[in-house]
Amino acid sequence: MSQSWTERFQALEIHSQDVRLQRFYGAGCVGGDTEIAATPFVALDFETTGLDARQDAIVSIGLVPFSLQRVFLRDACEWLVKPEQPLQEESVVVHGITHSEVRSAPDLDRIVAPLLDAMAGKVVVVHHQRIEREFLNQALLERLNEGIEFPLIDTMELEQRALRARQGLVGRLLKRPLGSLRLGDCRQRYSLPFYSPHHALTDAIATAELLLAQVAYQYRPDTPVSELWC
């Protein structure tokens, strides 16, 4: 992208037709040269009915703001969302959210404002960007006729970088496997405790803790945040 994210947010604020998106972009984006020790983050996780953002839907959202110094658990949020299609039994087995739980849940449109307000001014952190970035963009396109753009840090991608560096030239030539990139397996490499997976808020907290561990092992606090985001 030729524009910086700061410039991109300014342009998107001007062109957005939705007041909630205007407010999100108006909060601005930290400069790419901001040290990660001075960057405000928010870890975000979705549970969904499947893996295709065009056909499947978000059923729960968890987020927690944090910095390099602290995870702000008291400001964590979690929402159940009513999908437009009935839950598939396969997805119920994965995330454990039942038909009766989502029957009385609100549509995502009623959660967009608090969700974007919680994300505003912070760098989003996820584990496997394809889910959160694509599902949120598609959900807003369907409800607001506008998608959403924002930089994010993907702890899965950071872990892949670290494993490739550890693999070395010989390992790459011999095609030695990198190792699992699942959230729980990545956490285990840093001796972080086991959390039951596929719960949006728990996974958001787990992702925040994983980034803190990755930074502690692989980066300096004064590393520019642009070296981590994508």
Side-chain angles (χ1 to χ4, degrees):
M1 185 169 65
S2 57
Q3 284 180 312
S4 70
W5 275 110
T6 302
E7 294 169 332
R8 184 64 181 154
F9 269 42
Q10 291 169 350
L12 289 167
E13 181 189 7
I14 293 170
H15 294 294
S16 176
Q17 300 298 309
D18 185 89
V19 66
R20 294 163 290 188
L21 280 169
Q22 290 171 355
R23 195 163 62 236
F24 171 74
Y25 293 126
C29 178
V30 300
D33 58 353
T34 304
E35 297 178 358
I36 51 178
T39 300
F41 299 108
V42 59
L44 180 67
D45 187 85
F46 295 163
E47 294 302 318
T48 64
T49 59
L51 299 176
D52 187 339
R54 291 183 179 275
Q55 297 186 16
D56 298 308
I58 300 168
V59 291
S60 70
I61 300 171
L63 65 82
V64 62
F66 69 105
S67 67
L68 218 56
Q69 296 77 36
R70 185 177 173 190
V71 178
F72 300 99
L73 291 175
R74 69 178 182 182
D75 297 322
C77 298
E78 183 178 22
W79 297 277
L80 275 180
V81 179
K82 186 176 184 178
E84 293 178 341
Q85 303 88 13
L87 292 174
Q88 300 297 317
E89 292 304 321
E90 296 84 357
S91 69
V92 173
V93 171
V94 172
H95 49 59
I97 297 170
T98 63
H99 302 279
S100 60
E101 287 178 297
V102 298
R103 193 170 297 131
S104 58
D107 183 85
L108 183 68
D109 186 60
R110 289 174 53 189
I111 296 168
V112 169
L115 172 61
L116 295 184
D117 288 346
M119 293 167 55
K122 303 179 183 69
V123 174
V124 174
V125 180
V126 302
H127 191 79
H128 193 20
Q129 59 163 311
R130 183 169 160 262
I131 296 296
E132 282 73 21
R133 178 169 263 164
E134 292 186 10
F135 271 81
L136 183 55
N137 185 65
Q138 184 65 30
L140 296 192
L141 274 173
E142 293 170 358
R143 290 164 178 80
L144 314 182
N145 292 319
E146 294 184 53
I148 185 170
E149 298 178 31
F150 53 90
L152 56 74
I153 293 174
D154 185 350
T155 52
M156 177 183 282
E157 182 181 306
L158 295 185
E159 191 66 13
Q160 192 171 41
R161 288 186 206 173
L163 290 174
R164 281 180 176 157
R166 195 179 307 168
Q167 186 185 39
L169 178 59
V170 173
R172 287 193 289 276
L173 290 173
L174 295 176
K175 297 183 179 180
R176 288 176 180 153
L178 282 181
S180 170
L181 293 172
R182 291 179 182 275
L183 179 57
D185 293 328
C186 294
R187 287 174 54 87
Q188 193 172 32
R189 293 191 190 96
Y190 300 91
S191 300
L192 292 169
F194 172 80
Y195 295 159
S196 295
H198 301 304
H199 179 276
L201 180 54
T202 302
D203 284 353
I205 294 168
T207 299
E209 293 176 346
L210 175 59
L211 180 66
L212 297 181
Q214 290 172 322
V215 169
Y217 277 84
Q218 297 151 23
Y219 299 91
R220 292 163 48 102
D222 60 355
T223 302
V225 69
S226 60
E227 290 191 16
L228 280 66
W229 72 25
C230 51

